[in-house]
Amino acid sequence: MFVKFKIWLPLAVVAVLLSPIHKNAKADSNDLASLINGGTLTDGSVFYSNFQFLADIGTNPLDLAAITVQTFNGPSGLEFLGNGQFNLGPGNDSIILQIAFDIATSGDSFSFSGVDLSNGGAVVSGEGLIDVFNSIEDSSGTPLASTNAILDPLFGISQPTDFQFLGGPQSSLGFDTSLTLFADVGSSVSLDSFRITVSTVPEPSITVLFSCVAAGFTLRRRRTA
């Protein structure tokens, strides 16, 4: 029993080191209207800035001051809380919101990004849809990736999450984010929140440590075989 414990303990330590350790226990938050007027958010070594309002069209106008944007525990990213704004009742109603913002880090470089509706109370009834689309660029404006989460029961589309690699480590990113909701006559749509995430690659020293422990574990198995 003690031998098995000694074998698995180094692997458990490495697993903890490689897991994303969140630097902020308390989420940083602000309303979307304030962010568009020069507000910023900080999450450990990750900094969100340059929020821009691009478009708000549809039959249901949004109160941007009622929409909360916050960081959250887990991978770095932003959660957009609708606070009732992202709900549509039956009757050819629609919401289209387009914003842009920048993300930069002084820590590990970003390696991939994603968008997630799965934990946001996304419900589409009848002929309606929810669509969150991200266009992601590097600091020079070169396109890197795009993510698209969409729920559209009429066409049998159920993709509440989407993740894409960025083609190489990046210390800063620009996001162009579009939220589209549509509810036809006799249908309804509601969305409590959605998340945009960015994940980082581990430090080189941690990667080397993981390789060494893995190699040692392999040699130990050979000796005991």
Side-chain angles (χ1 to χ4, degrees):
M1 184 70 177
F2 181 67
V3 173
K4 289 183 179 180
F5 178 76
K6 288 197 298 182
I7 292 174
W8 286 108
L9 181 59
L11 295 181
V13 171
V14 171
V16 170
L17 289 173
L18 287 178
S19 64
I21 301 174
H22 202 64
K23 299 180 179 63
N24 271 359
K26 183 179 180 180
D28 191 10
S29 66
N30 207 335
D31 66 87
L32 184 54
S34 297
L35 290 173
I36 290 172
N37 288 320
T40 61
L41 295 174
T42 304
D43 183 17
S45 63
V46 181
F47 187 67
Y48 305 87
S49 63
N50 195 28
F51 288 83
Q52 301 174 53
F53 172 78
L54 303 179
D56 176 15
I57 59 178
T59 55
N60 268 35
L62 294 174
D63 179 4
L64 300 184
I67 299 173
T68 303
V69 185
Q70 64 182 21
T71 62
F72 55 89
N73 288 329
S76 298
L78 294 178
E79 184 173 35
F80 292 77
L81 304 175
N83 299 318
Q85 294 293 301
F86 301 153
N87 297 334
L88 293 175
N92 289 321
D93 289 335
S94 62
I95 293 171
I96 300 175
L97 172 66
Q98 187 177 15
I99 60 173
F101 56 92
D102 295 333
I103 301 178
T105 179
S106 58
D108 296 338
S109 298
F110 302 122
S111 55
F112 61 94
S113 178
V115 59
D116 187 5
L117 300 172
S118 61
N119 294 319
V123 177
V124 177
S125 174
E127 298 180 10
L129 67 85
I130 300 173
D131 188 354
V132 178
F133 178 82
N134 288 316
S135 177
I136 307 164
E137 301 176 341
D138 65 13
S139 56
S140 66
T142 302
L144 296 174
S146 61
T147 57
N148 192 196
I150 181 169
L151 299 177
D152 191 347
L154 179 64
F155 289 93
I157 302 174
S158 179
Q159 184 174 315
T161 60
D162 187 27
F163 294 87
Q164 297 291 329
F165 285 95
L166 301 174
Q170 306 289 330
S171 60
S172 59
L173 298 168
F175 278 74
D176 188 328
T177 300
S178 296
L179 168 67
T180 301
L181 300 98
F182 173 73
D184 203 348
V185 175
S187 62
S188 60
V189 170
S190 62
L191 177 65
D192 294 336
S193 65
F194 65 92
R195 288 183 172 186
I196 293 171
T197 59
V198 287
S199 296
T200 58
V201 294
E203 290 280 3
S205 58
I206 295 179
T207 304
V208 171
L209 175 62
F210 177 77
S211 301
C212 291
V213 173
F217 179 61
T218 302
L219 289 175
R220 188 182 187 94
R221 289 192 61 186
R222 286 177 180 174
R223 288 173 182 172
T224 57

